[in-house]
Every structure is written in structure tokens, then in C-alpha cells.
């Protein structure tokens, strides 16, 4: 065959291309399933710390692995420019842009290796840095050992950095020692810095032209409150005393500052506080001081101003609002005990500097420089009180350690224990009128909870104490509603025993403070504070605002309100589908969305584009998240001029997290599907159709096999409810082939159809993305509930859902497993008593005996479970009113019918579902010789918190399903268990990421 040169060269080129293609293919392995080892290093955008610069030019976000070190990425929104900064082991960044958008400052944390090393060396400090970046040049300036930082507001001329003490970690100092440290003021334009010592607190006003400093030095020398004029650099010492200064609180406008001043009184345990107020910042700031010790006629005896509530100025700068709490007298010892304590203290305390140093040298616990620094600090004469704590007196030692549970306790003793610190820190609202120099107590034991309304002319009080016992018994909530005049202190009860069917029943004041809206009997009402009249806002609106989708045992709960307009003339409400604008005078009621009942689109809620707004300004474009209840589509709609709503975005995806640049016409939002990770998009506010993706989430996505998509399954429950389920395809899915399937549920979750599942270690062991990557189909059906049948409701919904999903031909009916945690764990433990359809089940922290569960304690809150059963998730009447319902729906009473192998997770410190619930079910199944394995992680609560435990259970649960649904060999722990004496060896030999 003859071949010319051109042909020959062409063939050589083709051969070269083929070789290159083959080499490239060999170097790029085919995507493989995600392993749990991969999950540890998987990087994704943190759900916290993403921020758009005020000028809309930059987006900052954090890319972090499940384990290891993160990086902050700064991306320019107009082009592809981006900067990357390592920030250590942090899942989110503490960051802030300057108001002019020219600078960004962010924390840099110790690396993962440094944290692990420090954990092995107690006392080793872990210090945090701050990086300051000039965005135009990417010039970086580093600051070491920073505790906190802030730009000076709208002025944007300085960065203030509160430093940690040298040689120590940036943790709070002991409460009995000086809290002051160095403050560094860095001028952005000149790079000049100034150091201010002994600063305990700092705070800029909104404009940023004033900086308030609370000074707290050793022995309180020079303590006070200082003001720095940021324009001139002038420093004003507004008050100076051997006292503590705290709780700096600027007004919204930045024209007033309130704070507390505390003085030690040896007669009392706690400090006695005064309220300081600063105002008139246009000229020389004026200091106002209210000292209760000088007001013996009006200020209540035995009380002081509380340090647990920040004081504030009223809008007119005429009154100061603050909290009161009891003074605790210092304990008086009997003379003999006092003498003995004094002698013991004298013997224990070194009498000279030489003696103190000798004592430190003899201390064998000092092994590091940090230990030495701490010992020297403790050895100082003025800081030795805490170190010389006396042993308990005989009376204290002989005192019983016990609790009395009384049937008339409004709150269970367990609830009182949970709230003990909160109760101790509780304060009653009080007021000081500057012009009249009068003190007024606004709240007391009759009316404890009081919230000032906008403009500070009135306050709203909700008092539930008269009904507290019944509330804690049956979960139905009531409160008396009070109105308090903040000028006179006059109080009036305007509603008695108002029923709160949901959060939306609570009063919501208008921006002008003259009205409030509340929900009652399935309607929204408005109360006019000045006229003292009320009117039903929604009775004539041609729709219902009753939330008929709530299936808990409450009466006529309303749909969520959107909020007040900024002019206080209208309220925006939504029924189950549409957005309504209703005037408070009842003359206007407009359906703004016009999507129809059960139409293709539902208004879900407003997206907060203007975080500093006071009410909803209808002159500005307002943005709403929209959702397709039956399609699972979502998007964004815009309301213009309070009249016309237009559709900006509507996709087969989950669209969310819209935010607007503070000083520019730029919007950022997120988009995700089950197959594409969450990414941020930036667009001009006029149109979202041209939005540009500005983040790259999950950079390792292409390395792994991933689900090719989802299916939406429609079905009818056995009770006729029209429901849906989300079906997630396995990686490598081939039409006509059947796959092992995990069915997962927790009430209604079909709305998660478009949620991307980042590989990682959850507190329950469950991760749909990892399972689909490993060849499982995942099905998540909805469950709705009927009163007195929570377990049977799952049976009536899940089985029809699975039968509908089987019609897709994707699910292997011989290899189906079920899993749920908590309430989902209850559904799992119940379903295996009703059907043998599933070949394996994993139940996390399940309720198993509803009768005993009803009377147990929800230890995390301290409340009885009874109220949860009667008015919330349990959906049952009390057991003595329907014993049969409790038997019918309790897994324990059907335990003999269980044939499905069960993996049970229950932890000994579970504060939600008592550990005994898991033990009871395990023992019953074991007695009946049913296949059950219970995993218990010591000290863990309702979900797994410790990373090693989360890793371990994630692997064990997959090994369990792999064995029963894929036919893989059972690991030793599953086949034979692990004796206690062999457990340590088992854990040592077991590969952290590969099983046994």
C-alpha cells in the first residue's frame, strides 16, 4: 500500500492521540463508591460563615473537611479572581467585611494537628490569629493571639483587635480576676496602630465614630469607662472607680450608650450594681448615673441591679431600662468556725514573696511555662482567696443531699434542675426616668416576663405562671397578657388565659409600637394599644388561616405570619398557599400571589434581604421563597411596590439562602439537587435568570460514583391521604435492574428530594449520599398521623408507599431494610412488629413502651414526656383515657411478632428517649431469641456527639445492612458479639475505616 507523507503524518497524529487518550484514561481512574475513609476527608462549603461584601463585589466562604484543616475562599463576583487562605481546624470562619467593602478580617485557628497535640499536653495554649486583607491588592496583615475584633462601623477607618493575654489561650479569665487585656487599634489607611491596655470590653457605635471601652485592671487600678473619638483620637474618661464596668450597649442609632458599674460589698456575695448612661454625643457626652443605694425610698430592699441583663436607653434617651435581682447575703459563720478558718488560712498562705516562690518550686505539678505562669498568678496575695477555699463546715457536711418531688410543683424538680442557672440569672425589668429622677419597678412575681415594644412607649407582658402546672401536665399553653405604660409604669391585664396553639399566637408588636397582632381561634387579631380595642383581622378574608396540615393535638393553630409593614398599616400573612396583604383597619385584603388553593406554587416564607430593616418596607423589592408541594420545585418570587408579585426563578432544585448586598444591587442565593452540591450564585437584583455560579463545592465529587437522580413517588395511605415519597437512585443505576433499598422516614420528608447529601458522619449513622454511592436505593416516604394511632399511622403510610415504590421496578423486594432515629426509631421498632416485609431494621433511640415512656422524664429539658404525648409529637390522649391505644401502638406489646433482624442504638445518657426504652425492647427480644444487637456508647446523649463514636456506628450500621441486604459476610461483632473482656482488643484490631 502506498502512503504519501501527509497520510503518514496523519496516522502518526491519530496514533499519538490514541496513546494520549489511553494514558489519560489510565491516569484518571473510573469513579468509585464513597467509603467512610473518604467521608473523613470530604470537603464542602460550611453552612456558616458565608458572607457577601457590602458592595457586592466579593463573596467569602469556607471550604472545610469533616476532619482536618479548612480554608477561607474570597471570590470576586464580577470575574474569576479568588484568594485562598488556610484558617486551621474550623468548620466556619469568624469574619467581617468593612462597610466600604475594601477590607476583610477573619480568624485563623490552630491546625488540626496542633489541637490533637495540645489535647495530649494539658495547659498548652492554643492561640488564634486574625488576618486583615486589603481586597484590591490581596495584601495581608497578621495579628497574633486575638480574642475578638471589629471594624468601626460605617466609618470604616479602623480595625479594633482585643488580644488574649500573652502566653495564654484566648479563653475567658476567671470571674474573680481582672478581665482587661490589650486592645490594638489599627488604622486601615496608614497601617499605624495604637495599644490600649486593660480593656475588658469594647464596642463601636453604628456609625463608628465613637468607641466605648470598659477598663478592668489588676486590683481595679484605673478601672472605668472610656470614650474614644475615632475622628480626633481624643480619649474621654467618663467614669473612674475601683469597680467593674460591663455590658456596653449602644442604641440602634448610636446616639446613646448604657452600661453597668459594679461595686463589691462585703455584706453580700454579689456585687451591687449601678446603671450608667451616656448621651448627647453631638457635643460633650453627658453621664447619667443611677445608684440604688442612694434611692432608699423607691428601690426595693434586698435587691440590686442585675448583671445578667444589658441595660438600654429608651428611644427618646429619657429613660434607662435594666434588670433587678436579689442580693445574696454573705454567709455568717459561727465564731469558732471563723477563728478556725482564719488560722487555717494563715498557715496555708505564704507570708512573704520568698515563701511563695519556695512553695512554687516545691510544686511537682508544674511542668510547663504555662503552668508556672498560672502558679505565679495564684501565688499573688490578692488572688489567693479562691486557692485557699475552706473545707465544708460540719453543718454543711451533715446536710442531706436530696430532692422533694411534690404533686403540686408547677414544674417538675427535674425541670427546675435544668433551669436552675437560668432561674438564678433571671431579672425583673425596671426603669429610671432621668428627668424626673424616679425609679419604677415594671415587673415582679405577678408579672415576670415583660418585653418593651418598639419606640419604648409600652411593654407587653405574657404571664403563664397561673397555668404553669397544667401547661407542664398536658402541654396546652395559656398566658395572661399585660400592657405596661413605660412612662408611668401603670399595668393593665388586657387578656386572660389566652390560648397559644402555636408560636404564632404570641403577640407581635407593630414597628411604631402602637398595635400588636396575635392569633386566636384560628384567626389573626389586632389590638390597638392607644384605643384599647381589638378587631378580628381575618374573619372577612376569603380564605382560612388555620393550619390544617398540623396533625398534633392542638386547637385551630394558625399558619405562620410573615410580619408587619414598616409603616405599621398592613400585616402580611399567608394561608397554606398564598400571600395576603391585610390593612389593620380592615378596608384592604389582597391576595398578592394568586397561586390558588393547592396550586403548583406555595409561598413558604420571606427571604430577609434587608437585615437592618424595621418592618417590611413595601417600597423596596421583597423576596419570597416559593415551593411546589407536589412537584418539589422551588424558586424565588419578588414583590414590587407591595402590589405585584413576579416569578424570578423556578427550578427542579432546592433554591434557598437569598441575601442582598448591603450597599449594592446584588443578590446571592444557593442552588442544589441530590446530584449537584450546594453552590452560591450571584446576580443583579433585576433578574436571577442570568445568575453566575461563584463557588465550587465538593471538589472531590468527580472522583466518586454518585446517584444519577431521583424519582417522586405518589401514593395513597390506607386512610386515603394523598402522599409522596422521595426515591434516590443508586450509583450506576441501570433501568430494569433491582437494587437493595433502605427505607428511611421521619414524619414528612419528601421535601428533601433535592437536598444534596454531603458524605459525613451524622449523629445517627445515616447518610443517604454514602448509601446511594455504595449501590443502595434510598426511599423516604411521608407519614401523616391520626390521633391515638402514631404507630399504626406509620403502618398505614409506609407500607403503601413501599408498594408504590416497588412499581418503579427499581427496588428488590427481597432486599429491603428500614431505618429511623428517635421518632423514626419508634416507627422502625413498631413496623417490624406489624410486617415481615423488611429483611433488616436499624432503630436509633426508639420509643418502645408508650405507657412507661409517657411517665418518664425528657431529661434534656427536665419536663415530663406526658405533655409531648398529649400536645405534640406523641399524638395521644393520656393512657388512662385510652389504654388500648397505648397497647395498640407500643412495639413492646407486639414483640412476639418480630422476625426481622434488628440493630438497636441506644445510649446510656440519652436525655430524650430514656435508655430503659432500648433496654426493655432488647431484653424482650433476647428472651424470645429474636435476632437483635444493641449498640451503646457510654456517656452519649440522644445522638452521637463524639467523632470516634459517629465513625464507628456509621460503619457498623452499613456492615449490618451489607450483610442482610447484600449478602456480605457478617463481621464478628454482628455474628457472635464481643465479650466485655475482649472489647478493648476488638476495638484495637478493628480498622477505623475498614471494619474487622
Amino acid at each position: 500500500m502506498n502512503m504519501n507523507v501527509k497520510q503518514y503524518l496523519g496516522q502518526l497524529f491519530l496514533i499519538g492521540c490514541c496513546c494520549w487518550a489511553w494514558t489519560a484514561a489510565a491516569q484518571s481512574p473510573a469513579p468509585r463508591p464513597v467509603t467512610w475513609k473518604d467521608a473523613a476527608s470530604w470537603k464542602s462549603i460550611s453552612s456558616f460563615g458565608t458572607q457577601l461584601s457590602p458592595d457586592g463585589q466579593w463573596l467569602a466562604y469556607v471550604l472545610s473537611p469533616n476532619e482536618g484543616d479548612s480554608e477561607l475562599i474570597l471570590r470576586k463576583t464580577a470575574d474569576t479572581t479568588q484568594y485562598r487562605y488556610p484558617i486551621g481546624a474550623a468548620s466556619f470562619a469568624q469574619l467581617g467585611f468593612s462597610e466600604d467593602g475594601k477590607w476583610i478580617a477573619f480568624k485563623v485557628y490552630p491546625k488540626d494537628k496542633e489541637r490533637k497535640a495540645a489535647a495530649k499536653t494539658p495547659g498548652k495554649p492554643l492561640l488564634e490569629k486574625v488576618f486583615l486583607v486589603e481586597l484590591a491588592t490581596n495584601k495581608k496583615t497578621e495579628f497574633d493571639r486575638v480574642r475578638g475584633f471589629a471594624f468601626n462601623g460605617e466609618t470604616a477607618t479602623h480595625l479594633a483587635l482585643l488580644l488574649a493575654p500573652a502566653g495564654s489561650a484566648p479563653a475567658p479569665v476567671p470571674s474573680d480576676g481582672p478581665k482587661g487585656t490589650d486592645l490594638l487599634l489599627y488604622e486601615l489607611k496608614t497601617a499605624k496602630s495604637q495599644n490600649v491596655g486593660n480593656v475588658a470590653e469594647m464596642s463601636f457605635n453604628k456609625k463608628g465614630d465613637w468607641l466605648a471601652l470598659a477598663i478592668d485592671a489588676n486590683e481595679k487600678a484605673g478601672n472605668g469607662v472610656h470614650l474614644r473619638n475615632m475622628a480626633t483620637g481624643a480619649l474621654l474618661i467618663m467614669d473612674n472607680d475601683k469597680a467593674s464596668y460591663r455590658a456596653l450597649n449602644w442604641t440602634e442609632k448610636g446616639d446613646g450608650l448604657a452600661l453597668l458599674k459594679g461595686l463589691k460589698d462585703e455584706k453580700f456575695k454579689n456585687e451591687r450594681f449601678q446603671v450608667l448612661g451616656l448621651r448627647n454625643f453631638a457635643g460633650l457626652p453627658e453621664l447619667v448615673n443611677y445608684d440604688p443605694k442612694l434611692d432608699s425610698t423607691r428601690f426595693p430592699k434586698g435587691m440590686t441591679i442585675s448583671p445578667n441583663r444589658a441595660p438600654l436607653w429608651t428611644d427618646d434617651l429619657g429613660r434607662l431600662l435594666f434588670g433587678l435581682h436579689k442580693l445574696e447575703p454573705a454567709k455568717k459563720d459561727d465564731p469558732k468556725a471563723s477563728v478556725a478558718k482564719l488560722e487555717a488560712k494563715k498557715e496555708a498562705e505564704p507570708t512573704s514573696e520568698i515563701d511563695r516562690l519556695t512553695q512554687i518550686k516545691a510544686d511537682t505539678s508544674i511542668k510547663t511555662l504555662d503552668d508556672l505562669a498560672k502558679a505565679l498568678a495564684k501565688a499573688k496575695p490578692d488572688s489567693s482567696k479562691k486557692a485557699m477555699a475552706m473545707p465544708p463546715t460540719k453543718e454543711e457536711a451533715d446536710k442531706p443531699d436530696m430532692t422533694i418531688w411534690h404533686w403540686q410543683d408547677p414544674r417538675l424538680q427535674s425541670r427546675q434542675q435544668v433551669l436552675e442557672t437560668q432561674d438564678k440569672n433571671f431579672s425583673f425589668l425596671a426603669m429610671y426616668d432621668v428627668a424626673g429622677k424616679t425609679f419604677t419597678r415594671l415587673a415582679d412575681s405577678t408579672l415576670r416576663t415583660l418585653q418593651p415594644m418598639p419606640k419604648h412607649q409600652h411593654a407587653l407582658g405574657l404571664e403563664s405562671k397561673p397555668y404553669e402546672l397544667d401547661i407542664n401536665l398536658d402541654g396546652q399553653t395559656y398566658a395572661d397578657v399585660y400592657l405596661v405604660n413605660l412612662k408611668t409604669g401603670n399595668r393593665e391585664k388586657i387578656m386572660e388565659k389566652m390560648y397559644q396553639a402555636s408560636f404564632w399566637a404570641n403577640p407581635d408588636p407593630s414597628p411604631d409600637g402602637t398595635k400588636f397582632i396575635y392569633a386566636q381561634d384560628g384567626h389573626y387579631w389586632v389590638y390597638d394599644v392607644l384605643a384599647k380595642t381589638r378587631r378580628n383581622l381575618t374573619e372577612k378574608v376569603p380564605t382560612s388561616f388555620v393550619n390544617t396540615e398540623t396533625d398534633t393535638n392542638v386547637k385551630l393553630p394558625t399558619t405562620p405570619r410573615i410580619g408587619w409593614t414598616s409603616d405599621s398599616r398592613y400585616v402580611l400573612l399567608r394561608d397554606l398557599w398564598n400571600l395576603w396583604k391585610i390593612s389593620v383597619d380592615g378596608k384592604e385584603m389582597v391576595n398578592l400571589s394568586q397561586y390558588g388553593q393547592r396550586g403548583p406554587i406555595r409561598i413558604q416564607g420571606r427571604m430577609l434581604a434587608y437585615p437592618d430593616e424595621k418592618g417590611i418596607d413595601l417600597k423596596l423589592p421583597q423576596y419570597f421563597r416559593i415551593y411546589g408541594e407536589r412537584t418539589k420545585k422551588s424558586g424565588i418570587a419578588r414583590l414590587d411596590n407591595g402590589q405585584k408579585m413576579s416569578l424570578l426563578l423556578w427550578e427542579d432544585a432546592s433554591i434557598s439562602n437569598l441575601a442582598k448586598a448591603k450597599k449594592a444591587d446584588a443578590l446571592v442565593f444557593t442552588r442544589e439537587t441530590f446530584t449537584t452540591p450546594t453552590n452560591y450564585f450571584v446576580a443583579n437584583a433585576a433578574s436571577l435568570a442570568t445568575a453566575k455560579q461563584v463557588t465550587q463545592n465538593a471538589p472531590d465529587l468527580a472522583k466518586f460514583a454518585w446517584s444519577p437522580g431521583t424519582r417522586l413517588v405518589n401514593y395513597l395511605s390506607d386512610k386515603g391521604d394523598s402522599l409522596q415519597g422521595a426515591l434516590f437512585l443508586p450509583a450506576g443505576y441501570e433501568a430494569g435492574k433491582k437494587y437493595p433499598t433502605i427505607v428511611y422516614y421521619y414524619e414528612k420528608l419528601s421535601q428533601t428530594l433535592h437536598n444534596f447529601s454531603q458524605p459525613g458522619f451524622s449523629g445517627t449513622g445515616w447518610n443517604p449520599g454514602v448509601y446511594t454511592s455504595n449501590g443502595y436505593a434510598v426511599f423516604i416516604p411521608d407519614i401523616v398521623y391520626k390521633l391515638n394511632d402514631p404507630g399504626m399511622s406509620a403502618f398505614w403510610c409506609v407500607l403503601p408507599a413501599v408498594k408504590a415504590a416497588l412499581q418503579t421496578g427499581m427496588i428488590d423486594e427481597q432486599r429491603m431494610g428500614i431505618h429511623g432515629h428517635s421518632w423514626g426509631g419508634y416507627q422502625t421498632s413498631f413496623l417490624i412488629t406489624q410486617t415481615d416485609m423488611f429483611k433488616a431494621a436499624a432503630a436509633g433511640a426508639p420509643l418502645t413502651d408508650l405507657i412507661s415512656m409517657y411517665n418518664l422524664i425528657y431529661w434534656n429539658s427536665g419536663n415530663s414526656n406526658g405533655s409531648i404525648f398529649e400536645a405534640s409529637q406523641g399524638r395521644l390522649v393520656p393512657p388512662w383515657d385510652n389504654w388500648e391505644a397505648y397497647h395498640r401502638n407500643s412495639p413492646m406489646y407486639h414483640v412476639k411478632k418480630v422476625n426481622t433482624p434488628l440493630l438497636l442504638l441506644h445510649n446510656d445518657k440519652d436525655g430524650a428517649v430514656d435508655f430503659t426504652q432500648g433496654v426493655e425492647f432488647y431484653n424482650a427480644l433476647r428472651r424470645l431469641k429474636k435476632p437483635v444487637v444493641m449498640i451503646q456508647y457510654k456517656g452519649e446523649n440522644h445522638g452521637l456527639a463524639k467523632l470516634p463514636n459517629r465513625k464507628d456506628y456509621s460503619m457498623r450500621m452499613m456492615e449490618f445492612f451489607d450483610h442482610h441486604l447484600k449478602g456480605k459476610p457478617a463481621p464478628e461483632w454482628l455474628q457472635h458479639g464481643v465479650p466485655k473482656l475482649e472489647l478493648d482488643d476488638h476495638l484495637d484490631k478493628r480498622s477505623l475505616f475498614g471494619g474487622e
Side-chain angles (χ1 to χ4, degrees):
M1 181 186 301
N2 293 325
M3 183 181 295
N4 60 35
V5 175
K6 198 171 186 179
Q7 288 174 320
Y8 177 73
L9 290 174
Q11 287 228 357
L12 284 178
F13 174 76
L14 288 173
I15 292 170
C17 287
C18 289
C19 290
W20 176 86
W22 180 86
T23 303
Q27 292 176 347
S28 301
R32 58 177 176 79
V34 175
T35 67
W36 291 114
K37 184 176 182 179
D38 299 322
S41 59
W42 182 271
K43 292 183 178 181
S44 61
I45 296 176
S46 170
S47 55
F48 302 100
T50 302
Q51 198 173 123
L52 188 63
S53 64
D55 60 3
Q57 296 297 308
W58 294 89
L59 182 76
Y61 65 98
V62 176
L63 195 63
S64 58
N66 290 319
E67 285 187 84
D69 297 327
S70 303
E71 60 179 342
L72 176 73
I73 299 175
L74 293 176
R75 166 66 191 264
K76 200 166 187 179
T77 57
D79 54 41
T80 59
T81 302
Q82 69 174 19
Y83 308 135
R84 306 174 83 100
Y85 298 96
I87 60 168
S91 58
F92 67 95
Q94 183 181 337
L95 62 89
F97 285 99
S98 61
E99 285 285 324
D100 58 8
K102 295 180 179 180
W103 304 83
I104 186 173
F106 53 89
K107 276 273 188 83
V108 176
Y109 303 86
K111 295 180 179 180
D112 186 54
K113 288 183 179 179
E114 293 172 340
R115 289 187 184 277
K116 290 176 179 177
K120 298 177 182 178
T121 311
K124 182 179 180 180
L126 287 174
L127 301 176
E128 298 168 354
K129 298 181 179 182
V130 160
F131 284 4
L132 172 68
V133 177
E134 186 177 21
L135 293 169
T137 63
N138 192 28
K139 180 183 177 182
K140 179 182 70 176
T141 305
E142 295 185 25
F143 303 93
D144 291 328
R145 58 182 182 87
V146 179
R147 181 182 292 172
F149 65 94
F151 289 105
N152 62 321
E154 296 171 355
T155 305
T157 58
H158 289 75
L159 176 68
L161 303 113
L162 195 60
L163 306 182
S168 70
V173 295
S175 59
D176 56 347
K179 300 175 181 62
T181 185
D182 288 343
L183 174 74
L184 193 66
L185 277 175
Y186 181 88
E187 190 172 12
L188 299 173
K189 187 176 181 179
T190 65
K192 293 179 180 179
S193 60
Q194 178 185 354
N195 190 292
V196 182
N198 301 314
V199 176
E201 287 184 41
M202 66 167 183
S203 183
F204 289 108
N205 67 347
K206 184 176 181 180
K207 188 176 179 181
D209 54 351
W210 288 97
L211 171 63
L213 301 172
I215 305 299
D216 194 2
N218 193 28
E219 298 183 347
K220 294 183 169 57
N223 279 17
V225 56
H226 298 179
L227 285 175
R228 188 183 194 275
N229 187 310
M230 297 304 296
T232 66
L235 187 68
L236 304 178
I237 301 175
M238 301 305 301
D239 195 65
N240 192 225
D241 206 342
K242 295 199 82 171
S244 62
Y245 294 81
R246 64 180 76 178
L248 303 173
N249 191 18
W250 288 98
T251 60
E252 176 70 20
K253 296 177 183 177
D255 56 355
L257 174 73
L259 68 146
L260 297 174
K261 174 182 178 180
L263 291 158
K264 184 64 180 172
D265 188 329
E266 295 299 331
K267 297 178 183 178
F268 301 97
K269 284 184 180 181
N270 41 357
E271 290 180 293
R272 301 187 72 162
F273 282 91
Q274 303 169 21
V275 177
L276 304 185
L278 301 172
R279 60 183 182 178
N280 298 334
F281 282 84
L284 185 66
E286 172 195 358
L287 174 69
V288 174
N289 185 357
Y290 174 64
D291 184 354
K293 286 186 71 175
L294 305 178
D295 189 3
S296 58
T297 57
R298 298 182 69 95
F299 196 86
K301 292 181 179 180
M303 302 196 83
T304 186
I305 293 168
S306 172
N308 303 312
R309 183 198 293 255
L312 72 149
W313 279 107
T314 54
D315 267 18
D316 58 8
L317 297 180
R319 290 152 291 147
L320 286 161
L321 301 174
F322 48 90
L324 308 179
H325 73 173
K326 289 184 179 179
L327 274 168
E328 292 186 56
K331 286 187 177 180
K332 295 181 180 180
D333 295 321
D334 62 84
K336 292 181 180 179
S338 297
V339 171
K341 284 186 178 182
L342 183 62
E343 292 299 322
K345 181 176 180 180
K346 286 181 177 179
E347 291 178 7
E349 182 176 305
T351 57
S352 70
E353 190 67 21
I354 294 175
D355 291 335
R356 285 192 285 272
L357 291 174
T358 302
Q359 187 181 69
I360 289 171
K361 288 179 181 179
D363 189 351
T364 58
S365 67
I366 298 174
K367 298 178 181 178
T368 67
L369 288 174
D370 189 57
D371 292 340
L372 178 61
K374 291 179 180 178
L376 287 169
K378 286 183 179 180
K380 291 180 181 179
D382 64 326
S383 62
S384 61
K385 294 178 182 178
K386 190 172 181 180
M388 303 301 175
M390 294 296 106
T393 63
K394 183 178 184 301
E395 289 76 10
E396 291 171 334
D398 291 342
K399 189 183 296 183
D401 187 3
M402 49 87 76
T403 301
I404 298 174
W405 299 62
H406 194 277
W407 70 279
Q408 289 181 317
D409 283 342
R411 291 183 293 173
L412 282 173
Q413 288 293 325
S414 51
R415 177 65 173 165
Q416 294 178 48
Q417 291 165 15
V418 169
L419 296 179
E420 183 175 4
T421 300
Q422 181 179 314
D423 288 342
K424 284 182 178 178
N425 292 335
F426 183 83
S427 63
F428 298 96
L429 187 66
M431 176 179 67
Y432 176 67
D433 185 287
V434 179
K437 297 183 179 181
T438 56
F439 165 85
T440 304
R441 182 171 179 175
L442 301 170
D444 52 30
S445 57
T446 304
L447 174 58
R448 292 168 57 85
T449 306
L450 198 59
Q451 185 64 40
M453 295 175 70
K455 306 302 181 184
H456 299 140
Q457 299 303 305
H458 295 86
L460 268 172
L462 262 70
E463 185 53 69
S464 58
K465 199 170 185 63
Y467 319 106
E468 191 172 16
L469 176 57
D470 287 335
I471 290 170
N472 285 309
L473 291 176
D474 64 15
Q476 303 293 340
T477 306
Y478 300 89
D480 295 334
V481 181
Y482 289 83
L483 197 62
V484 177
N485 188 309
L486 287 182
K487 287 196 170 181
T488 65
N490 291 339
R491 176 192 303 177
E492 180 184 4
K493 185 193 291 185
I494 58 175
M495 276 184 262
E496 188 166 359
K497 202 176 182 180
M498 183 187 79
Y499 178 57
Q500 297 166 286
S502 69
F503 169 81
W504 309 108
N506 291 316
D508 179 28
S510 59
D512 65 3
T514 64
K515 297 171 281 290
F516 65 84
I517 188 175
Y518 64 98
Q520 197 73 26
D521 300 324
H523 284 281
Y524 276 104
W525 297 68
V526 65
Y527 185 91
D528 190 307
V529 172
L530 302 179
K532 297 184 180 180
T533 58
R534 73 195 74 200
R535 197 175 59 76
N536 190 325
L537 264 185
T538 57
E539 62 178 340
K540 295 182 180 178
V541 182
T543 188
S544 172
F545 292 95
V546 176
N547 189 354
T548 55
E549 294 185 356
T550 296
D551 54 17
T552 55
N553 189 22
V554 291
K555 301 171 186 175
L556 299 175
T558 48
T559 51
R561 59 178 177 253
I562 302 298
W564 284 92
T565 58
S566 56
D567 59 7
S568 301
R569 293 178 56 204
Y570 299 91
V571 175
L572 299 189
L573 303 174
R574 71 171 179 87
D575 58 20
L576 284 173
W577 298 91
N578 290 298
L579 177 69
W580 291 80
K581 183 176 74 171
I582 303 171
S583 64
V584 294
D585 60 10
K587 295 180 180 179
E588 295 181 59
M589 49 193 76
V590 183
N591 181 344
L592 296 171
S593 53
Q594 295 289 340
Y595 291 137
Q597 296 298 317
R598 298 195 65 81
I601 297 177
R602 163 181 282 181
I603 299 290
Q604 275 203 320
R606 188 170 71 104
M607 293 170 147
L608 301 180
Y610 314 101
D612 294 335
E613 67 182 358
K614 303 298 178 186
I616 304 168
D617 188 348
L618 294 182
K619 295 177 183 177
L620 298 174
Q622 298 291 338
Y623 300 89
F624 295 83
R625 187 176 194 269
I626 53 178
Y627 173 67
E629 183 65 35
R630 302 297 295 181
T631 65
K632 309 308 174 189
K633 288 184 177 183
S634 67
I636 299 171
R638 185 181 65 226
L639 177 66
D640 293 306
N641 299 315
Q643 296 178 347
K644 182 181 179 182
M645 183 166 279
S646 55
L647 197 63
L648 299 183
L649 207 60
W650 183 241
E651 298 186 16
D652 264 318
S654 177
I655 307 294
S656 193
N657 300 313
L658 179 137
K660 182 183 176 298
K662 189 173 183 179
K663 297 183 177 181
D665 199 23
L667 297 174
V668 63
F669 62 91
T670 59
R671 181 190 186 277
E672 66 181 288
T673 70
F674 188 70
T675 61
T676 56
T678 310
N679 274 300
Y680 286 81
F681 294 76
V682 172
N684 186 284
S687 173
L688 300 186
T690 57
K692 178 174 65 176
Q693 182 176 328
V694 291
T695 61
Q696 190 59 54
N697 199 357
D700 293 334
L701 184 73
K703 297 179 182 178
F704 303 104
W706 210 254
S707 170
T710 61
R711 301 282 188 275
L712 195 56
V713 177
N714 297 304
Y715 62 96
L716 285 177
S717 76
D718 287 341
K719 295 298 180 180
D721 300 293
S722 180
L723 301 174
Q724 294 178 302
L727 181 59
F728 304 90
L729 280 61
Y733 169 71
E734 297 175 18
K737 187 176 178 181
K738 294 184 177 182
Y739 294 88
T741 302
I742 308 294
V743 183
Y744 178 82
Y745 31 68
Y746 193 101
E747 300 196 352
K748 294 186 77 171
L749 288 177
S750 64
Q751 68 273 18
T752 64
L753 181 78
H754 291 307
N755 288 10
F756 184 77
S757 174
Q758 302 281 2
F761 308 100
S762 72
T764 67
W766 174 240
N767 188 292
V770 174
Y771 275 84
T772 54
S773 180
N774 282 271
Y776 285 94
V778 169
F779 183 49
I780 303 181
D782 287 337
I783 303 173
V784 294
Y785 295 87
K786 308 300 179 186
L787 185 63
N788 288 325
D789 271 312
M792 291 305 301
S793 293
F795 179 79
W796 295 328
C797 294
V798 173
L799 266 62
V802 171
K803 290 174 183 176
L806 285 169
Q807 298 302 310
T808 65
M810 184 192 311
I811 296 175
D812 187 340
E813 62 273 16
Q814 298 301 316
R815 295 188 293 166
M816 296 189 301
I818 52 175
H819 168 57
H821 189 88
S822 188
W823 189 246
Y826 161 62
Q827 315 294 334
T828 298
S829 59
F830 183 79
L831 284 173
I832 61 174
T833 69
Q834 303 297 308
T835 179
D836 293 335
M837 177 185 289
F838 306 106
K839 302 307 174 188
L847 296 72
T848 59
D849 184 341
L850 298 186
I851 294 176
S852 62
M853 185 67 187
Y854 175 93
N855 290 299
L856 288 171
I857 304 295
Y858 195 101
W859 293 105
N860 288 338
S861 69
N863 283 323
S864 165
N865 288 324
S867 59
I868 301 175
F869 273 58
E870 292 188 47
S872 184
Q873 196 169 46
R875 301 172 173 94
L876 285 155
V877 297
W880 38 84
D881 288 342
N882 196 332
W883 290 108
E884 202 279 326
Y886 278 74
H887 282 84
R888 184 171 66 245
N889 290 277
S890 289
M892 184 62 66
Y893 300 111
H894 307 282
V895 69
K896 288 185 69 174
K897 296 185 286 183
V898 174
N899 295 308
T900 306
L902 176 65
L903 178 66
L904 186 60
L905 169 69
H906 221 126
N907 304 317
D908 52 4
K909 297 300 180 182
D910 193 323
V913 180
D914 201 279
F915 183 45
T916 55
Q917 291 285 299
V919 172
E920 283 187 48
F921 204 50
Y922 165 78
N923 271 329
L925 290 168
R926 179 174 177 270
R927 172 63 182 84
L928 293 166
K929 297 185 177 180
K930 305 286 186 176
V932 59
V933 174
M934 185 167 78
I935 306 291
Q936 168 201 349
Y937 293 93
K938 294 180 181 178
E940 290 276 24
N941 202 303
H942 193 50
L944 300 173
K946 297 176 182 177
L947 183 59
N949 294 343
R950 286 187 276 131
K951 287 180 179 178
D952 184 76
Y953 188 66
S954 296
M955 290 184 288
R956 290 185 195 273
M957 190 167 77
M958 183 170 276
E959 289 171 348
F960 170 77
F961 281 125
D962 281 351
H963 170 63
H964 289 289
L965 304 185
K966 288 186 174 181
K968 290 186 178 182
E972 184 68 18
W973 68 267
L974 182 59
Q975 189 171 10
H976 299 294
V978 182
K980 171 63 178 172
L981 294 180
E982 299 175 14
L983 182 60
D984 284 343
D985 287 341
H986 165 76
L987 295 175
D988 288 340
K989 293 175 182 177
R990 182 177 169 83
S991 167
L992 192 59
F993 289 111
E996 296 169 358

